[in-house]
Amino acid sequence: MITSEASPDATATPSMRTVTPDVEPTPVIDYDGKTKTVALGDVKVAATVEAPVIHLVVTASNTTERKLSYSIDVAVSNGETPVYTKTLDIRDIEPGLTKEKSREIDISGYTRTFGEPKVFINDVATSAE
């Protein structure tokens, strides 16, 4: 974990926290039918394959006492090649609340049958306001 805060002489900037998983992929925490969910800290990513798309839902919770924003690097793979990599921003989460962002990923161009997606949270960065 990396933390940085402005020095007393510097212009006020929000504090920043970055969490990066170990070398291993983020562990699966839940299976619910076709949905696979992984988590890292206060972030959860759920992916559901319903050809020709993957429904992706990213959820972030604010367990601090200040308004918080997240920048979450997510990757989805079919086991051979990356299908989707994106940094999703979830902004202005009030203390004690949770927000989510969803995406649909078109997988119709992939020749391999998409059974169970491989879902990864590569990085999570937060900034407090």
Side-chain angles (χ1 to χ4, degrees):
M1 174 168 53
I2 302 170
T3 42
S4 64
E5 293 190 35
S7 68
D9 299 329
T11 305
T13 58
S15 61
M16 189 87 151
R17 181 175 63 104
T18 300
V19 178
T20 304
D22 294 331
V23 176
E24 295 297 316
T26 47
V28 174
I29 61 165
D30 190 30
Y31 282 101
D32 182 17
K34 296 180 183 180
T35 302
K36 180 185 215 178
T37 304
V38 296
L40 181 63
D42 292 327
V43 172
K44 290 184 183 176
V45 176
T48 306
V49 176
E50 292 181 350
V53 298
I54 295 176
H55 299 282
L56 187 69
V57 178
V58 179
T59 306
S61 298
N62 182 355
T63 57
T64 70
E65 294 181 9
R66 295 172 38 186
K67 190 184 291 187
L68 195 63
S69 293
Y70 281 85
S71 182
I72 305 155
D73 184 30
V74 177
V76 179
S77 169
N78 65 359
E80 295 175 358
T81 57
V83 172
Y84 178 84
T85 56
K86 179 99 174 150
T87 299
L88 301 169
D89 293 323
I90 301 177
R91 299 279 177 218
D92 302 323
I93 306 171
E94 295 293 335
L97 297 181
T98 299
K99 280 189 177 180
E100 72 179 29
K101 189 171 256 189
S102 60
R103 293 276 187 271
E104 285 193 346
I105 306 162
D106 181 7
I107 58 172
S108 61
Y110 291 87
T111 55
R112 180 172 183 234
T113 303
F114 226 102
E116 180 182 311
K118 307 252 185 266
V119 182
F120 306 92
I121 300 172
N122 295 327
D123 188 59
V124 174
T126 60
S127 58
E129 300 169 20

